[in-house]
Amino acid sequence: MSQSGLVKFVDTTPAAISRLIAKVRLSNLTVNNLPPCLKPFAGMRLTFAEYSDTQGRVIVEDTFCAAIVEYYAIWLKPRQPRDNIKAQETLRLIQYLGIRVFIHQKTGWNKPAAESTVVLKSREIKKQNNLSQNAAIRDYYDTRPLMDYSAMSKLAANQIRYHDVHPVEAICKALDLYMPKHKAELIPVIENVYKADKRFKAEAKQKRLAAGIQLSLPLGI
């Protein structure tokens, strides 16, 4: 992760992250006053010297990133009571993901298809619904679920952009605000909206013509 990414990850400043990295790097391997989570990294380089980032960013090793999150969440005394809340949320997130990956690797277990979330690629959706490969899938769905998705996306984006909320928390907040009783379900494919619009207009035209014929007959008698 980049240093700038770490800054956002634990809600601190670039200078604070730079100082912490320098402090750990310059610490004695055996005798130091580092907190337990940082001790294993004393005297190490901690960044990727052999990696050249296209944007010129300093990239920090993943295990040390996790140690920094723990440091800010647990070991660093916050100036204000809730100053470390972002770091604590991030720590819970990586712990949750870490234990899942660890268990899956140890057991070789994969979630059964029946229990996992169904994720289909666009070509699979088109094949299942007999659509041409050049069809735009969005034109075959009811507009209401798409409107819900758009609203959810905007709510989550605003939480991240204006309140610096973690993306996972932002999605949860958006869901609670917009659809508190939401139950995930598949959206049925319907007739192409543009073709349906043309069909409706043609049917309406036919009805108008039929009505005009019926009204004109008595006048011709």
Side-chain angles (χ1 to χ4, degrees):
M1 183 181 291
S2 67
Q3 281 192 225
S4 58
L6 268 174
V7 168
K8 296 177 182 178
F9 221 37
V10 296
D11 192 21
T12 187
T13 64
I17 290 294
S18 296
R19 287 195 300 269
L20 182 59
I21 291 175
K23 179 181 178 180
V24 176
R25 181 184 293 163
L26 297 173
S27 294
N28 185 280
L29 182 61
T30 56
V31 181
N32 60 69
N33 61 351
L34 296 174
C37 61
L38 299 179
K39 280 186 178 295
F41 302 95
M44 297 175 63
R45 184 174 182 86
L46 308 176
T47 56
F48 287 108
E50 67 277 7
Y51 174 74
S52 178
D53 184 72
T54 55
Q55 299 180 32
R57 297 170 298 183
V58 176
I59 306 301
V60 186
E61 293 184 358
D62 53 1
T63 52
F64 186 58
C65 289
I68 288 180
V69 172
E70 183 180 341
Y71 169 70
Y72 274 92
I74 298 175
W75 298 99
L76 181 64
K77 186 176 180 180
R79 295 180 180 179
Q80 299 294 331
R82 293 179 61 84
D83 277 358
N84 63 343
I85 192 70
K86 180 70 176 293
Q88 290 175 347
E89 292 172 352
T90 303
L91 180 61
R92 286 195 294 270
L93 173 65
I94 63 176
Q95 286 175 336
Y96 170 79
L97 295 175
I99 191 64
R100 169 174 286 187
V101 171
F102 174 78
I103 292 173
H104 287 193
Q105 287 180 341
K106 285 293 184 180
T107 61
W109 183 80
N110 289 314
K111 201 167 188 178
E115 297 179 11
S116 60
T117 303
V118 178
V119 179
L120 297 178
K121 294 182 179 179
S122 60
R123 63 174 178 270
E124 295 170 336
I125 296 174
K126 293 174 184 178
K127 184 177 180 181
Q128 287 186 7
N129 294 277
N130 297 317
L131 303 178
S132 64
Q133 287 302 309
N134 60 354
I137 296 177
R138 64 178 181 273
D139 296 340
Y140 289 83
Y141 285 99
D142 185 10
T143 56
R144 177 68 196 193
L146 298 180
M147 290 168 62
D148 290 340
Y149 176 79
S150 178
M152 284 277 296
S153 297
K154 290 183 182 297
L155 282 171
N158 287 342
Q159 289 285 327
I160 297 168
R161 184 179 298 112
Y162 300 115
H163 303 287
D164 199 25
V165 175
H166 190 277
V168 175
E169 183 187 356
I171 292 295
C172 294
K173 284 189 174 182
L175 189 61
D176 290 338
L177 287 170
Y178 188 70
M179 304 176 72
K181 297 181 179 179
H182 173 70
K183 181 181 179 182
E185 57 185 14
L186 292 176
I187 303 174
V189 175
I190 61 173
E191 182 180 1
N192 180 282
V193 290
Y194 297 108
K195 290 183 179 179
D197 183 57
K198 289 181 180 179
R199 180 169 57 80
F200 291 146
K201 288 180 179 178
E203 290 175 356
K205 183 178 180 180
Q206 289 297 326
K207 288 180 180 179
R208 288 196 300 270
L209 288 174
I213 292 172
Q214 291 173 1
L215 290 173
S216 62
L217 283 175
L219 296 176
I221 295 174

